[in-house]
């Protein structure tokens, strides 16, 4: 049977995709209308709830008191209408040619999509609060009990905290004492430095010290020489005939003069010492005001530090010690209270689990905490999680992960479906599709080539990585080597045989070459005789 | 001679649609008396095909050209097959017929008539040419002093 389907598809390609595109557009409209209905419903619910609340408070439903709810409701009504502009905006974006208009329509489309996201989220929020309300009431009671328990535990744990704080305060006091000590040493150091500086600065003192040293040296020299003279006096040997009277007298005189000189020098030295003492005492009298100032400063500083120490002792350490005593006294009562709270928490947790068993959202929150919570948020889940173990933070996370993601998809899917429909209905798409793809100057081709090259590179890299590496090792093995016994090989005798070498010989041959001629003279020489045709003709 | 539509009745819908287009093209080209080689080439140019389908197409064109039934009937069948929802396709076929009509640089009366018939049958134009003229005449009936048309 003849089949011309391919001809039909090429003849009018739009016919192939256009119906699908149309269907997609209808679907996009269905989505948008539904979203718009959500907006209208929220608007209606705001108005109705507002009216009911006003009636409950005032007892009458006047238009004046309801006006604010009407305004909120109308705002959501506008949002609902705005949803219906999404597909026309997508069409405008698709068919716009100039970049300016493309950007404008894109921004408008993004704004509408954001509004859809908010609307859908509002709807989910309503559903969420409605579904979770019965469980949330019990869960909030459970949270309160847990808070109470943690407060008591904190109070119990305060004893350790107070100990730490007291230790810290004592540490501060010891630091202040240390500071006083440092101040004292610094002051004494300053005083001595001051004295030293003054002493060094006075030149008279130096000269006196020098003079005293010189006198002392001279005294010691004279004492040495005197002792030598005494020794030499003792070494003089006096005999009957050898009278050494003169020499002895001379030495005695010398010793006497030494003694006199030493005495004189001792007097000088004592004079110089007196002078030095006077100079030094003068200097000390000059330093007195400065030293007094240092002492005063030191006293002020130390007084301040002492005051601080006293304050810390009285205002901080003492109250802490007393509060610690109080806690220690109350410890037993607090422990009993904690036990009671534990029991109450257990029973509330059971109640929450019972209520949340049929609530899909709580089950979902538990699943998210156990699954993605561990995978993406670094949460450590050690035990089996129940709805009672969930915190407000967990519930929020679950809400955003589930409903937030869903709201995002719902908000953008209408636009994408509309764009897909428009694309399928577009004739240009078929024209572009039917263009030869082997044009090498297009960006698409270049990008394609780039990815092909990249994939080739990676595939070779992977192959190289997977390929087992061959490592060459030299392994020495003992191989038995057969000993080759030398055998005597008997060779045949070489016999030289003379052979004739063929030589090239030139043989002359006479070749017969026929030479046709009618020359009678020549013919007469040859072996043949030419017949006389002319003569015969003549005879005839 | 058996009907060409009956001959290919078991083919796919898309194939039959193409056959219908070929029949209409062949009949339009033959409306002025002769089916020239240029017209045949033009049809084959419009209908994108593979080499192996060339002979089949020529065969269908010959069958279409030899068919003695009026073009109106073929147009009606094609419209029924395509459906009213695909007006775009029917307009495309009319455009194809117009292209075939002008291929020899002259549109004959017969060709104009046939295109009009097909367009009317497809429902892509509302009134036949004369009806449109009549409407214009109706518009100026009072000014030209006619109370009632004799036909």
């Amino acid at each position: 049977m003849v089949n011309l389907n391919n001809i039909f598809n090429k003849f009018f390609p739009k016919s192939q995709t256009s119906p699908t595109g149309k269907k997609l557009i209808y679907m996009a409209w269905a989505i948008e209308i539904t979203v718009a209905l959500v907006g209208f419903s929220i608007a209606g619910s705001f108005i109705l709830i507002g009216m009911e609340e006003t009636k409950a408070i005032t007892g009458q439903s006047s238009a004046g008191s309801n006006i604010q709810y009407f305004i909120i409701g109308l705002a959501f009504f506008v949002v609902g209408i705005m949803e219906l502009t999404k597909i026309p905006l997508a069409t405008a974006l698709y068919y716009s040619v100039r970049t300016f208009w493309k950007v404008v329509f894109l921004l408008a489309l993004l704004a509408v999509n954001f509004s859809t996201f908010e609307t859908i989220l509002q709807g989910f929020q309503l559903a969420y609060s409605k579904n979770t309300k019965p469980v949330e009431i019990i869960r909030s009671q459970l949270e309160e009990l847990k808070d109470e328990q943690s407060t008591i535990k904190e109070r119990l744990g305060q004893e350790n905290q107070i100990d730490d704080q007291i230790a810290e305060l004592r540490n501060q006091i010891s630091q202040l004492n240390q500071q006083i000590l440092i101040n004292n040493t610094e002051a004494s150091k300053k005083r001595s430095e001051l004295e030293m500086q003054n002493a060094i600065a006075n030149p008279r003192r130096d000269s006196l010290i020098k003079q005293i040293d010189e006198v002392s040296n001279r005294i010691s020299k004279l004492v040495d020489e005197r002792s030598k003279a005494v020794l030499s006096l003792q070494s003089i040997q006096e005999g009957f005939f050898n009278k050494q009277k003169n020499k002895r007298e001379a030495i005695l005189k010398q010793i006497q003069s030494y003694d006199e000189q030493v005495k004189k020098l001792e007097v000088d030295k004592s004079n110089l010492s007196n002078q030095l003492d006077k100079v030094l005492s003068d200097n000390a009298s000059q330093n007195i005001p400065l030293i007094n100032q240092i002492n005063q400063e030191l006293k002020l500083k130390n007084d301040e530090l002492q005051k601080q120490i006293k304050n810390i002792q009285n205002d901080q350490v003492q109250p802490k010690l007393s509060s610690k005593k109080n806690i220690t006294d109350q410890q037993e009562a607090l422990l009993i209270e904690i036990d009671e709270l534990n029991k109450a928490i257990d029973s509330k947790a059971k109640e929450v689990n019972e209520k949340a068993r049929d609530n899909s959202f709580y089950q979902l929150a538990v699943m998210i905490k156990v699954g993605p919570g561990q995978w993406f948020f670094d949460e450590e889940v050690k035990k089996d999680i129940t709805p009672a173990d969930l915190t407000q933070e967990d519930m929020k996370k679950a809400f955003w992960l589930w409903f937030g993601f869903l709201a995002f998809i719902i908000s953008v899917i209408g636009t994408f479906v509309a764009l897909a429909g428009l694309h399928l209905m577009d004739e240009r798409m078929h024209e572009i599709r039917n263009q030869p793809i082997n044009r090498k100057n297009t960006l698409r081709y270049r990008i394609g080539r780039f990815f092909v090259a990249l994939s080739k590179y990676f595939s070779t890299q992977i192959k190289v990585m997977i390929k087992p590496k061959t490592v060459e090792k030299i392994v020495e093995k003992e191989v038995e080597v057969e000993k080759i016994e030398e055998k005597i090989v008997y060779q045949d005798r070489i016999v030289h045989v003379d052979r004739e070498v063929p030589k090239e010989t030139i043989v002359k041959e006479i070749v017969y070459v026929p030479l046709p001629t009618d020359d009678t003279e020549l013919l007469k020489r040859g072996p043949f005789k030419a017949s006389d045709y002319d003569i015969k003709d003549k005879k005839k | 001679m058996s009907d060409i539509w009956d001959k290919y009745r078991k083919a796919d819908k898309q194939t039959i649609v193409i056959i219908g287009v070929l029949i209409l093209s062949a009949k339009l080209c033959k409306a002025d008396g002769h089916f020239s080689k240029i017209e045949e080439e033009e049809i084959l140019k419009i209908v994108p095909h593979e080499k192996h389908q060339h002979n089949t197409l020529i065969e269908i064109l010959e069958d279409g050209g030899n068919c003695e039934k009026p073009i109106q009937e073929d147009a009606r069948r094609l419209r029924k097959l395509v459906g009213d929802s695909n007006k775009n396709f029917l307009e495309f076929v009319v455009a194809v017929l117009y292209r075939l009509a002008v291929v020899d640089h002259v549109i004959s009366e017969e060709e104009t008539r046939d295109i009009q018939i097909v367009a009317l049958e497809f429902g892509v134009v509302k009134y036949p040419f004369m009806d449109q003229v009549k409407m214009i005449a109706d518009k100026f009936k009072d000014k030209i002093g006619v109370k009632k048309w004799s036909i």
Side-chain angles (χ1 to χ4, degrees), chain A residues 306-351:
Chain A
Q306 288 290 355
K307 206 177 171 183
Q308 279 182 21
I309 290 165
K310 212 173 183 180
N311 282 339
I312 290 167
Q313 284 279 10
N314 295 334
D315 299 344
Q316 294 184 44
V317 177
Q318 285 302 327
K320 298 267 177 211
L321 284 168
S322 60
S323 64
K324 192 191 165 186
K325 201 188 166 194
N326 283 338
I327 289 164
T328 321
D329 294 342
Q330 288 175 357
Q331 202 168 17
E332 274 185 30
L334 288 171
L335 284 169
I336 292 161
E337 213 174 325
I338 285 173
D339 275 347
E340 281 171 6
L341 278 169
N342 274 336
K343 281 173 191 169
I345 285 166
D346 283 346
S347 68
K348 269 288 174 228
K350 273 180 189 171
E351 211 177 326

Side-chain angles (χ1 to χ4, degrees), chain A residues 4-7 10 14, chain B residues 12 15 47 50 53 88-89:
Chain A
L4 304 176
N5 287 357
N6 62 335
I7 293 179
K10 282 179 191 169
K14 202 182 154 187
Chain B
D12 290 338
T15 307
V47 180
E50 306 292 327
Q53 290 169 324
N88 217 356
F89 178 76

